[in-house]
């Protein structure tokens, strides 16, 4: 039988918020060479992660996951599964939708093994649910997939959706979603993206500074691929134009940074600066995440909110991830259909 398998791919979550499960998850997460920023020999890195980093981080991370969990489970898995189920209902019988996680369960290896053993599919479409391409997320997943599909028949068609941040339907989805938060009621909007070690950027884009620091941005109008930081600045400018925001009304910032050798500017100093300048209300829009997770609910919703209010701000709001928003579901289906037709 000739069918298409579509895999929705995300970073993953621990099986449960227990310390043991979180430690197991962190061992996979931190050892990935595409994610690591330690630049150590692999055997040393493995020892460092398994004996020191994962055990030390697990109790704190487990506490965060316990705050996240609800009767639906952990949100990243829950909303990815919701997307899968809803998309399947919208799809004809010749296409099946699956989910797989780069770390945790269900693993990419397990899902692809089941697909291979079924002998039903002659086309595989992989959809990493990261709007902007980056080495630690999209490229890591692609590398993982390429390892697992070596046994598939040579005739199997393999397609990747490597990024979709500038897709018109995706931009329209975020524009309308932001508008539901009445953005013009706020003194300032921060478009937040996950931080990245600058070593994961192309060499000609590693100069720190504003959007002009990325050499790749000069190709944006030619529809060339941008580096991660360049795509963040470009997506912000597209959204700002759609929302008719004045330049002084919004900022770009990177969260979850670990020092000066990560993408700049970091969000924490910006929050303090805005509050000290007398900016009383801000709206934070996390554009790296389509599903809620620790970085949105805990980091933005709790940590950054407390920081801004403690620094003198009076109102702090943030948009959730798109999660199972109907317009996002429709957009994702259309993006997949475009690739299916190629």
């Amino acid at each position: 039988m000739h069918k298409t398998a579509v895999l929705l791919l995300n970073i993953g979550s621990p099986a449960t918020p227990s310390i043991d499960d979180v430690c197991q998850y962190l061992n996979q997460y931190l050892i990935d060479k595409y994610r690591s920023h330690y630049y150590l020999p692999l055997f040393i890195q493995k020892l460092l992660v398994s004996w020191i980093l994962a055990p030390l981080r697990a109790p704190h991370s487990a506490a965060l996951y316990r705050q996240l969990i609800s009767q639906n489970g952990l949100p990243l898995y829950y909303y990815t599964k919701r997307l899968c189920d809803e998309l399947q209902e919208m799809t004809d019988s010749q296409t099946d939708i699956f989910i797989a996680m780069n770390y945790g369960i269900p693993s990419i290896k397990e899902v692809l093994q089941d697909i291979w053993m079924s002998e039903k599919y002659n086309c595989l479409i992989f959809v990493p649910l990261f709007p902007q391409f980056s080495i630690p997320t999209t490229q890591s997943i692609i590398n993982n997939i390429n390892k697992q599909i070596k046994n598939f028949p040579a005739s199997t068609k393999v397609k990747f959706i490597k990024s979709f941040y500038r897709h018109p339907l995706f931009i329209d989805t975020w524009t309308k979603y932001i508008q539901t938060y009445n953005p013009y009621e706020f003194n300032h909007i921060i478009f937040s993206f996950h931080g990245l070690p600058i070593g994961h950027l192309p060499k000609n884009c590693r100069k720190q500074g504003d959007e002009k620091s990325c050499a790749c941005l000069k190709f944006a109008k030619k529809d060339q691929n941008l580096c991660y930081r360049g795509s963040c600045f470009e997506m912000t400018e597209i959204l700002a134009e759609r929302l008719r925001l004045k330049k002084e009304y919004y900022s770009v910032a990177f969260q979850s940074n670990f020092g000066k050798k990560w993408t700049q500017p970091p969000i924490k100093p910006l929050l303090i600066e805005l509050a000290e300048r007398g900016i009383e209300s801000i709206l934070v829009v996390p554009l790296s995440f389509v599903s809620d997770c620790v970085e949105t609910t805990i980091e933005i919703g709790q940590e950054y909110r407390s920081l801004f209010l403690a620094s003198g701000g009076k109102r702090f709001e943030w948009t959730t991830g798109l999660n199972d928003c109907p317009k996002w579901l429709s957009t994702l289906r259309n993006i997949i259909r475009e690739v299916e037709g190629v």
Side-chain angles (χ1 to χ4, degrees), residues 44-331:
I44 295 178
Q45 186 178 323
K46 285 183 176 180
L47 289 174
L48 179 66
V49 169
S50 61
W51 287 92
I52 300 175
L53 295 180
L56 283 177
R57 288 180 58 172
H60 175 68
S61 296
L64 297 180
Y65 282 114
R66 284 195 293 272
Q67 292 182 61
L68 270 182
I69 200 164
S70 69
Q71 61 181 6
N72 296 319
L74 291 168
L76 187 142
Y77 176 84
Y78 171 73
Y79 285 117
T80 305
K81 185 65 166 62
R82 285 270 296 174
L83 279 178
C84 175
D85 294 342
E86 295 289 339
L87 282 173
Q88 190 64 68
E89 291 186 9
M90 301 167 62
T91 303
D92 62 46
S93 59
Q94 293 306 303
T95 301
D96 291 331
I97 315 293
F98 302 86
I99 67 168
M101 302 296 177
N102 207 25
Y103 321 107
I105 54 175
S107 71
I108 290 173
K109 180 178 181 179
E110 292 168 344
V111 174
L112 283 175
Q113 187 173 29
D114 289 344
I115 290 173
W116 175 68
M117 292 181 65
S118 71
E119 298 183 347
K120 294 179 181 178
Y121 305 96
N122 68 333
C123 179
L124 306 175
I125 298 176
F126 298 101
V127 191
L129 292 173
F130 311 105
Q132 305 86 18
F133 174 91
S134 77
I135 290 174
T137 54
T138 317
Q139 187 58 54
S140 174
I141 283 177
I142 292 172
N143 178 69
N144 193 351
I145 288 167
N146 286 335
K147 288 180 181 178
Q148 308 304 330
I149 61 174
K150 291 179 179 179
N151 292 329
F152 277 72
S155 59
T156 305
K157 295 179 181 178
V158 178
K159 303 176 182 181
F160 291 96
I161 298 177
K162 294 185 178 181
S163 73
F164 49 88
Y165 72 91
R166 63 154 74 110
H167 193 287
L169 291 178
F170 188 64
I171 292 295
D172 190 54
T173 297
W174 261 115
T175 300
K176 288 182 168 55
Y177 193 62
I178 292 169
Q179 287 171 336
T180 65
Y181 285 82
N182 300 314
Y184 311 107
E185 293 182 356
F186 297 86
N187 299 140
H188 201 81
I189 296 175
I190 298 177
F191 294 102
S192 178
F193 298 87
H194 200 286
L196 195 73
I198 59 172
H200 288 318
L201 301 177
K203 289 183 178 179
N204 62 344
C205 293
R206 293 179 186 178
K207 180 182 175 183
Q208 293 286 31
D210 61 17
E211 67 274 15
K212 296 178 183 177
S213 303
C214 278
C216 64
L217 275 169
K218 64 184 179 181
F219 299 115
K221 302 303 179 184
K222 301 178 183 179
D223 200 33
Q224 298 286 326
N225 291 327
L226 299 185
C227 77
Y228 174 75
R229 183 173 62 176
S231 64
C232 295
F233 281 112
E234 186 191 20
M235 184 179 181
T236 297
E237 293 306 311
I238 295 171
L239 281 172
E241 183 177 350
R242 287 288 304 273
L243 292 164
R244 298 182 180 179
L245 302 178
K246 294 180 180 179
K247 192 75 175 178
E248 63 273 14
Y249 186 68
Y250 65 92
S251 302
V252 176
F254 294 89
Q255 64 182 91
S256 310
N257 274 14
F258 287 92
K260 294 181 179 180
K261 293 187 177 181
W262 285 57
T263 43
Q264 303 290 313
I267 193 171
K268 288 183 178 181
L270 177 61
L271 290 168
I272 295 171
E273 176 195 339
L274 290 173
E276 291 179 346
R277 277 170 40 196
I279 300 296
E280 295 185 345
S281 61
I282 64 170
L283 175 67
V284 178
V285 183
L287 294 175
S288 291
F289 311 97
V290 296
S291 300
D292 278 325
C293 53
V294 169
E295 287 84 352
T296 58
T297 306
I298 306 297
E299 192 172 344
I300 294 177
Q302 295 183 18
E303 181 182 347
Y304 297 161
R305 180 178 183 274
S306 297
L307 178 63
F308 180 69
L309 297 181
S311 301
K314 294 184 178 178
R315 183 185 178 195
F316 180 101
E317 302 288 343
W318 71 99
T319 68
T320 65
L322 295 173
N323 293 328
D324 55 355
C325 165
K327 186 162 181 59
W328 160 228
L329 181 67
S330 175
T331 290

Side-chain angles (χ1 to χ4, degrees), residues 13-27 58:
S13 297
T16 74
S18 72
I19 292 177
D20 285 346
D21 282 345
V22 171
C23 192
Q24 183 178 353
Y25 171 77
L26 289 174
N27 266 301

